[in-house]
Amino acid sequence: MAAANGAGLLAGAGLDLVFGDPRRLHPVAGFGSLVQRWERRSYRPSRAAGLRFAAVAVGVPVVAALGVDLVTRRRPLARAVAIAGGTWLVLGGTSLRREANGLAAALIAGDLAAARGRLPRLCGRDPSTLDTSGLARATVESLAENTSDAVVAPLCWGALAGLPGLIGYRAINTLDAMVGHRSARYGTFGTVAARLDDLANLAPARLSAALTVAAAPTVGGSRRATLRTWLRDGHRHPSPNGGQVEAAAAGALGVRLGGRNVYAGRVEQRPQLGTGRRAEPVDIVRAARLSAVVGAATVALTAGHLFTAPARRALLRRAGLRLAGRLAARRGRSR
């Protein structure tokens, strides 16, 4: 079963690499539509209503995934297929990089209107007033944050909790995108969804930042400078997780991120991350390459974790037996 879990994770990552997100009838989009209907029925301007909403919207898919996990417990091939399908559906790294590189190509060609038209596929920022550097900064920030959210985090949860981990994480992340932002409607109702997402990404975001430090030389960056920027600026962002990965990306690319952001008429002033130059279109291409390296490293780490699970359990059993033997021997001598 360990081999089935590891092979399924690798196969799912391979499917994402080759095909990206399904262009039609994506299950995550279908889940979002169902959740939207449930939100309209369950909405009340209170945290208690938000808690009930999140419990149902996350609990139902997790229970379904637990059922599949139980059914495939003694069927390695079926387990591998289920994990592969689940991994493919929750990963978004390839489509993320394709969109980012498409926007970069438009900017390099001087087609500002086309680049602005592409930005809403990557983030919710209003592109109408953004110049070339502003679009480049928004795209680099989106690449950094979504590499953690759409690649590193789902793989980590899949390695730790199998199919329920994959599905549960994607459900939480989808809820956060739908109701976890600050607005007149969701300021209270979406609090539970936002906090769940913060908690689910706490460790993955820091792993993503650490892998960014390790991968910095692949885009011409310095590991030391990247680490310094991450540790100095990572906590300055209003998100407890987004700042970690954005600060690390700023250090690796040698650019300055943060600043004024406009979301549907709402203005936010984000703190500066990094001390380099302003972002340029070429930095999007570099950030996409960095994202690919971080994703590949995460696949290797998480698949390795699954493949080596039996060996780790055997080592722990042996260590436990040795410890028990030593304790028994000491008790015998003390008598």
Side-chain angles (χ1 to χ4, degrees):
M1 294 309 297
N5 291 333
L9 199 76
L10 282 175
L15 287 169
D16 177 68
L17 183 64
V18 174
F19 298 108
D21 290 337
R23 295 185 180 276
R24 299 179 61 185
L25 302 176
H26 197 305
V28 175
F31 170 74
S33 298
L34 291 173
V35 168
Q36 197 169 41
R37 293 179 188 175
W38 171 236
E39 184 269 334
R40 286 196 292 264
R41 293 184 60 183
S42 63
Y43 176 81
R44 300 288 186 281
S46 71
R47 291 189 180 182
L51 175 60
R52 291 191 294 271
F53 165 75
V56 172
V58 175
V60 170
V62 167
V63 168
L66 283 168
V68 175
D69 189 72
L70 185 63
V71 168
T72 60
R73 180 161 293 179
R74 299 185 183 278
R75 299 176 180 176
L77 181 58
R79 171 65 65 86
V81 170
I83 294 290
T87 302
W88 178 32
L89 293 178
V90 304
L91 289 183
T94 297
S95 294
L96 172 69
R97 292 190 296 273
R98 286 176 182 170
E99 289 294 342
N101 282 323
L103 193 150
L107 286 178
I108 291 170
D111 193 343
L112 196 62
R116 286 173 174 167
R118 279 183 171 269
L119 187 66
R121 304 176 195 176
L122 289 164
C123 64
R125 208 168 299 178
D126 181 1
S128 61
T129 60
L130 294 177
D131 58 8
T132 297
S133 181
L135 288 165
R137 175 173 70 84
T139 307
V140 169
E141 290 172 353
S142 178
L143 273 166
E145 187 166 2
N146 284 299
T147 296
S148 177
D149 288 357
V151 182
V152 178
L155 286 170
C156 287
W157 281 105
L160 290 173
L163 189 63
L166 290 166
I167 301 303
Y169 172 77
R170 181 49 64 203
I172 290 170
N173 192 243
T174 302
L175 291 196
D176 179 62
M178 294 177 67
V179 305
H181 46 85
R182 297 172 184 171
S183 68
R185 180 176 177 86
Y186 297 128
T188 302
F189 180 81
T191 299
V192 172
R195 297 293 82 78
L196 274 176
D197 186 73
D198 288 344
L199 185 62
N201 282 290
L202 201 65
R206 285 147 184 82
L207 173 61
S208 184
L211 291 174
T212 298
V213 172
T218 64
V219 291
S222 159
R223 290 193 180 101
R224 180 176 295 179
T226 305
L227 178 62
R228 183 169 59 248
T229 304
W230 170 28
L231 296 179
R232 185 190 64 219
D233 297 341
H235 68 283
R236 301 180 65 199
H237 197 279
S239 165
N241 300 316
Q244 305 294 318
V245 290
E246 289 184 23
L253 299 171
V255 299
R256 185 172 68 252
L257 302 178
R260 185 175 182 270
N261 297 338
V262 180
Y263 302 91
R266 177 171 52 89
V267 179
E268 290 186 12
Q269 188 66 37
R270 298 286 176 84
Q272 179 178 309
L273 306 177
T275 56
R277 54 178 172 75
R278 297 183 71 192
E280 301 173 359
V282 68
D283 295 314
I284 299 175
V285 179
R286 297 171 64 217
R289 189 186 315 138
L290 184 64
S291 172
V293 174
V294 169
T298 308
V299 170
L301 288 173
T302 51
H305 171 82
L306 291 171
F307 280 120
T308 58
R312 290 199 310 274
R313 285 195 291 268
L315 286 173
L316 287 173
R317 280 196 298 270
R318 290 175 187 173
L321 289 172
R322 288 175 183 171
L323 180 59
R326 289 174 183 173
L327 291 174
R330 287 180 182 176
R331 289 196 195 101
R333 286 196 297 269
S334 65
R335 290 175 185 173

